[in-house]
Amino acid sequence: MPNVARVILDSLRDEGVSTFFMVPGKMINAFMSNYRDADREGNPRIAPVIAANEGGATAMADGYARAAERPGVVMALDGPGVANSVGILINAAADRSPVILLSGHIPRGFDAHDALQDVTPTGIDMAAVLEPVTSSSLQVRSDEHPIRYWNRTLKKLVECPTRPVYLSYAADVLAADSTESAVSTRSLSASRTMCDEQDLDRVLATINASASVSVLVGSHANKRDVRNLLTRLSESHDILVGSTVDAKGAFTESHPNNVGVFGYSANLRATELFTQQTPETVLFLGCRPTQFNTSAYDAGLSSARNVIEVTSSVEDIGNFAPGSRTLLCDERLFLERWEASLAGKAFAGNAALRERAERTPLWEDIPEDTETMHPARAVVALNKWLNDRWCVADMGNHRSFATHYWTTHIDAGFYSSTNMGVMGWAFGAGIGVSFAREEPGLVISGDGCALMNGIEIQTAVRYRRNIIFAIFDNASYGATRMNNRQNLPELSVLPDHDWVKFAESVGAEGFRVTSVDELDAVAEKIKDSDGVHVLHVIVDRDAGTPAQSYRENLKAFARSRSGSNG
């Protein structure tokens, strides 16, 4: 008879999860014991990946969830292990990533005895700590029906919007035999929100009566089936498509109908199209109304004749652009119905819209290098050699340059943390993406981020990942330095570190580059090589980020809120 841990592992496998990420601990031994050699003849198991710390493991689960489009799973000892996961779990919650945090805690009978690592209500009540950042936060201290708690947790993952969940079992309950069966959902990427048929027909009639239409695609629409449908519609009806910041790569950016990213560090062409040279109808598909996505709530988003929001998230409906028309509907279902309604239809104004859009460059001009390489030039050089790889960008100035200057050449080729921006997230997230996609990847991070979670490079080496980690070193906390120029330098300046030696110490191959020529030479050398490589990229700390429109709109929004015209 299987124990509770075994039922959960088999359930995860049935849900299509291939890997989970963890740091071992006594209270989760029941999960670990299911991997004994003597158990080889049992059902196939999902594979464990041992991370350097629980925060890194949680970032791996987050990256896996985004790339696999199914839950990402992290297992940790409750108490200190779960505490180490909280920062990254908050990051996943802000980006609505379906991460499952499973843990084990003190056995039954130890509560109310001042036990070591008591996380029940008689100690540090971890379920209460995690309640604000999860859709379900449960502790199980009974073996009467333990799998029912697991089933309740799974069901939360098919709600929209998705959020992380936390489920912790007493260690002895995890090891107890169970006759219960787990439910099967397998529907994270399936259509879940049906819409009112009359509203849908009215919206489609408005769109199809338009002379010109463009689409801004958001994170809720960043699903494989939706991406394929949108690409087909774009090509058959010459529709220009941009993406919000948190959906960069949802429409392949090397496609001729792409206009780039709108929002923070936006591409010039997208900003021009959606706020100034607007089509008759702008369709916001699965967009979240975040400050980064809206370029600080740019009023120009409402300038088109018809502004239509379609989203599967009831929390977001009606919040993206003031005065827009809204439709609560699954994004895939909507595109299927739109495509079926377009037989023989042509948008006569789309060709002229394209001609106008093409007059606007995609990127901001890059200043000439002085003594140190400009970060934008480093991104462009990496993109030239590595555009067949997925890219994960960390949080910091380097993220701004990557958002603006990296062009995706593959499906869903870009991942970043958008709404919370925990530094160092990308090291773990990149490893998680690699397990979901099993394709070569690139992680763009910074020296400050590497100080926080760069140790996970060791995990990439240990599991023979095919990842290049590019550490942009400006010897500072770059974003902090730019926002606090009047403060003491020591508050944002970092000491020099040798990331090549660090890479070698954990088994990776490292290269130090100080110019575009050196970067070209190294990238060409390693682009087809397997294994883990670390690029220590020396960049200019004074290079301004391509986020001028965001800064201007943010100031304008602040003035409007204060009633000031100055």
Side-chain angles (χ1 to χ4, degrees):
M1 182 182 300
N3 62 20
V4 170
R6 173 72 172 267
V7 173
I8 292 173
L9 287 171
D10 286 346
S11 171
L12 288 169
R13 179 205 66 207
D14 292 341
E15 293 292 325
V17 177
S18 62
T19 309
F20 67 87
F21 308 91
M22 69 181 301
V23 174
K26 178 179 178 180
M27 298 302 172
I28 51 175
N29 276 346
F31 286 116
M32 297 161 60
S33 66
N34 278 284
Y35 289 88
R36 293 172 180 160
D37 289 344
D39 201 36
R40 285 179 178 171
E41 295 181 1
N43 293 328
R45 296 286 174 272
I46 62 176
V49 172
I50 311 303
N53 67 48
E54 292 87 359
T58 308
M60 292 173 202
D62 187 5
Y64 179 93
R66 297 176 194 232
E69 299 179 18
R70 53 177 60 96
V73 181
V74 56
M75 294 183 186
L77 168 71
D78 217 331
V82 168
N84 285 341
S85 302
V86 169
I88 303 294
L89 196 72
I90 290 171
N91 193 77
D95 284 356
R96 299 179 178 176
S97 183
V99 172
I100 302 174
L101 173 56
L102 289 170
S103 66
H105 61 262
I106 59 172
R108 291 170 293 178
F110 279 70
D111 49 322
H113 283 74
D114 200 21
L116 175 69
Q117 298 172 347
D118 181 4
V119 297
T120 73
T122 66
I124 300 296
D125 190 348
M126 195 59 74
V129 170
L130 291 177
E131 186 173 355
V133 296
T134 58
S135 62
S136 177
S137 181
L138 299 172
Q139 288 183 345
V140 185
R141 297 189 61 74
S142 169
D143 62 358
E144 291 186 9
H145 43 75
I147 301 303
R148 288 196 176 193
Y149 290 87
W150 171 242
N151 289 341
R152 288 173 63 90
T153 299
L154 276 180
K155 292 172 187 177
K156 283 292 182 179
L157 290 174
V158 299
E159 293 182 349
C160 187
T162 56
R163 283 193 174 87
V165 293
Y166 160 77
L167 179 60
S168 182
Y169 285 88
D172 55 325
V173 174
L174 270 179
D177 291 342
S178 176
T179 60
E180 293 182 302
S181 299
V183 298
S184 177
T185 61
R186 295 303 300 269
S187 57
L188 272 172
S189 57
S191 297
R192 299 189 298 279
T193 305
M194 301 297 292
C195 51
D196 183 273
E197 290 289 331
Q198 291 184 336
D199 283 347
L200 175 58
D201 289 341
R202 283 193 288 265
V203 166
L204 291 176
T206 298
I207 296 173
N208 293 346
S210 304
S212 58
V213 176
S214 293
V215 176
L216 185 66
V217 59
S219 59
H220 292 307
N222 193 5
K223 305 292 184 183
R224 186 175 296 105
D225 291 345
V226 179
R227 295 193 300 266
N228 291 338
L229 266 169
L230 183 58
T231 300
R232 192 163 71 222
L233 276 164
S234 172
E235 292 173 348
S236 62
H237 288 79
D238 200 24
I239 297 171
L240 297 180
V241 180
S243 73
T244 57
V245 179
D246 58 0
K248 178 179 170 67
F251 188 82
T252 306
E253 293 177 312
S254 57
H255 195 287
N257 287 350
N258 168 68
V259 296
V261 167
F262 180 85
Y264 177 75
S265 302
N267 294 111
L268 303 179
R269 193 171 296 169
T271 301
E272 186 83 3
L273 174 67
F274 291 111
T275 64
Q276 297 179 41
Q277 296 181 352
T278 55
E280 184 174 346
T281 294
V282 169
L283 172 63
F284 298 134
L285 184 67
C287 294
R288 289 193 61 192
T290 73
Q291 183 188 90
F292 270 29
N293 288 343
T294 62
S295 197
Y297 317 110
D298 194 320
L301 281 170
S302 300
S303 59
R305 178 179 179 182
N306 303 307
V307 181
I308 298 174
E309 295 179 55
V310 176
T311 180
S312 56
S313 172
V314 69
E315 291 186 16
D316 294 332
I317 198 75
N319 291 331
F320 196 85
S324 61
R325 187 172 183 173
T326 60
L327 178 69
L328 182 66
C329 186
D330 181 86
E331 292 83 8
R332 186 178 74 179
L333 171 65
F334 175 82
L335 290 182
E336 289 173 344
R337 293 290 294 272
W338 188 21
E339 184 178 45
S341 73
L342 282 173
K345 166 66 183 177
F347 296 105
N350 277 4
L353 193 68
R354 170 193 294 281
E355 291 178 5
R356 292 201 305 271
E358 289 177 346
R359 297 189 196 115
T360 303
L362 190 62
W363 299 340
E364 291 186 9
D365 292 335
I366 304 174
E368 292 297 324
D369 289 343
T370 53
E371 295 181 0
T372 313
M373 180 166 44
H374 196 286
R377 295 194 184 281
V379 171
V380 172
L382 290 169
N383 196 210
K384 178 177 68 174
W385 295 105
L386 305 173
N387 57 40
D388 59 344
R389 291 178 174 240
W390 49 259
C391 176
V392 177
D394 221 323
M395 177 52 65
N397 281 355
H398 52 274
R399 179 182 181 275
S400 178
F401 294 110
T403 299
H404 190 82
Y405 292 101
W406 181 271
T407 301
T408 65
H409 286 245
I410 61 175
D411 179 53
F414 192 87
Y415 304 90
S416 67
S417 163
T418 304
N419 296 295
M420 191 59 63
V422 174
M423 291 176 63
W425 166 87
F427 288 96
I431 295 169
V433 172
S434 78
F435 277 98
R437 298 185 62 144
E438 292 294 348
E439 301 166 358
L442 168 70
V443 170
I444 296 177
S445 190
D447 51 333
C449 293
L451 288 172
M452 296 189 180
N453 285 299
I455 192 60
E456 295 300 348
I457 294 173
Q458 180 264 355
T459 307
V461 172
R462 182 179 180 186
Y463 288 91
R464 298 179 176 87
R465 299 293 89 193
N466 191 352
I467 303 175
I468 295 171
F469 293 90
I471 300 175
F472 282 33
D473 186 354
N474 58 8
S476 68
Y477 294 115
T480 299
R481 180 175 179 275
M482 287 193 165
N483 291 322
N484 296 277
R485 290 185 181 275
Q486 305 305 314
N487 290 341
L488 293 172
E490 64 195 68
L491 297 177
S492 56
V493 172
L494 292 173
D496 292 330
H497 294 286
D498 191 332
W499 295 108
V500 172
K501 289 183 178 178
F502 173 79
E504 292 171 347
S505 75
V506 296
E509 187 175 10
F511 302 87
R512 187 177 190 271
V513 295
T514 61
S515 68
V516 172
D517 289 342
E518 291 178 356
L519 185 53
D520 280 336
V522 171
E524 182 179 18
K525 176 181 177 181
I526 66 175
K527 66 183 180 69
D528 297 320
S529 300
D530 292 335
V532 178
H533 300 85
V534 175
L535 304 181
H536 184 182
V537 186
I538 308 301
V539 294
D540 183 2
R541 69 165 57 155
D542 293 317
T545 56
Q548 184 59 33
S549 63
Y550 169 79
R551 289 188 287 266
E552 291 174 353
N553 283 316
L554 192 60
K555 291 177 181 178
F557 179 76
R559 287 196 298 270
S560 70
R561 300 292 293 173
S562 66
S564 170
N565 294 318

